[in-house]
Amino acid sequence: DAGVTQSPTHLIKTRGQQVTLRCSPKSGHDTVSWYQQALGQGPQFIFQYYEEEERQRGNFPDRFSGHQFPNYSSELNVNALLLGDSALYLCASSLAGGDEYNEQFFGPGTRLTVL
Amino acid sequence: QKEVEQNSGPLSVPEGAIASLNCTYSDRVSQSFFWYRQYSGKSPELIMSIYSNGDKEDGRFTAQLNKASQYVSLLIRDSQPSDSATYLCAGTGANNLFFGTGTRLTVIP
């Protein structure tokens, strides 16, 4: 049973650039959530995708955008990168529209460094 | 007040002891709570889920939920050096998970 996968593992960008991160959910899951985890902090919710639409969004600027494809995989795009965007970006998948009782399982993450 | 608050520790216990990790939550957080374990440089791994008042046991782990006090805890019995990690408490609200900052646990051999 394939778990959540993310690519790339690591990424180095410079300020002002744009980045795209990718996620494939656990087999059978239909909902993808994205989180940002700064060093020493808990993950912070960015947004959640279900049925190819953004279902809920956290307190992140419009520079952060996403997409979900018909096969449930998802992308996170960040424009105009800032130094403060350096973090571990985590994708989590869950079942059946992300009901609050449904557990979320995380992928290995993408470590983004902005120079 | 943050949605989920944890004592950031660090917490050190000797091998074989019971480790107790605690978490409180605000009214913004709903009825489902989760404990994740995160090793350094790795992503969070789900270890316990709890939805109802009371205790839930799974092997050496026991999660406790007290909705009246808005309090969640995780007990690790017979702690092992391999349990050394950061433990994240999370609760659901508005279709997302709110996380605490994590408690770093070190089990001393």
Side-chain angles (χ1 to χ4, degrees):
Chain A
D1 181 20
V4 183
T5 60
Q6 290 186 246
S7 63
T9 306
H10 296 88
L11 205 51
I12 299 175
K13 293 286 189 179
T14 57
R15 282 177 297 175
Q17 286 190 310
Q18 177 265 343
V19 67
T20 297
L21 310 181
R22 296 177 176 82
C23 170
S24 290
K26 183 178 169 69
S27 179
H29 284 184
D30 57 9
T31 302
V32 172
S33 303
W34 287 92
Y35 295 83
Q36 180 195 67
Q37 187 176 25
L39 203 60
Q41 300 297 314
Q44 297 294 311
F45 175 72
I46 302 175
F47 41 54
Q48 184 182 83
Y49 276 85
Y50 171 62
E51 293 188 338
E52 302 180 50
E53 292 191 356
E54 185 181 290
R55 190 169 182 233
Q56 190 71 28
R57 188 180 184 91
N59 189 26
F60 278 80
D62 292 345
R63 298 187 298 109
F64 291 77
S65 63
H67 189 76
Q68 186 179 34
F69 300 94
N71 67 353
Y72 307 120
S73 67
S74 177
E75 289 182 348
L76 164 65
N77 301 292
V78 187
N79 294 322
L81 285 167
L82 304 174
L83 296 179
D85 294 332
S86 295
L88 179 67
Y89 287 85
L90 296 162
C91 167
S93 78
S94 55
L95 184 62
D99 178 274
E100 68 176 51
Y101 297 104
N102 287 331
E103 298 164 335
Q104 293 191 21
F105 296 89
F106 284 90
T110 294
R111 174 74 62 186
L112 173 65
T113 302
V114 181
L115 302 177
Chain B
Q1 181 191 3
K2 292 195 66 175
E3 290 83 5
V4 176
E5 299 205 48
Q6 289 183 256
N7 185 337
S8 60
L11 174 66
S12 294
V13 299
E15 184 174 355
I18 296 175
S20 177
L21 306 162
N22 305 309
C23 168
T24 59
Y25 61 91
S26 74
D27 291 340
R28 286 193 65 192
V29 181
S30 296
Q31 306 302 309
S32 304
F33 298 90
F34 307 90
W35 284 97
Y36 287 82
R37 177 176 62 198
Q38 187 171 27
Y39 293 113
S40 182
K42 302 295 185 182
S43 65
E45 173 193 8
L46 180 65
I47 55 172
M48 287 288 284
S49 307
I50 187 164
Y51 310 121
S52 305
N53 261 338
D55 295 359
K56 179 182 177 183
E57 185 175 320
D58 184 1
R60 296 186 296 111
F61 298 99
T62 299
Q64 300 173 316
L65 173 60
N66 183 325
K67 294 180 183 177
S69 301
Q70 295 183 296
Y71 175 90
V72 189
S73 67
L74 179 70
L75 300 178
I76 306 174
R77 291 182 300 280
D78 188 23
S79 295
Q80 301 297 309
S82 60
D83 294 327
S84 298
T86 295
Y87 289 80
L88 296 162
C89 173
T92 55
N95 290 323
N96 76 85
L97 280 177
F98 293 104
F99 282 87
T101 54
T103 299
R104 184 171 182 84
L105 172 66
T106 300
V107 180
I108 303 168

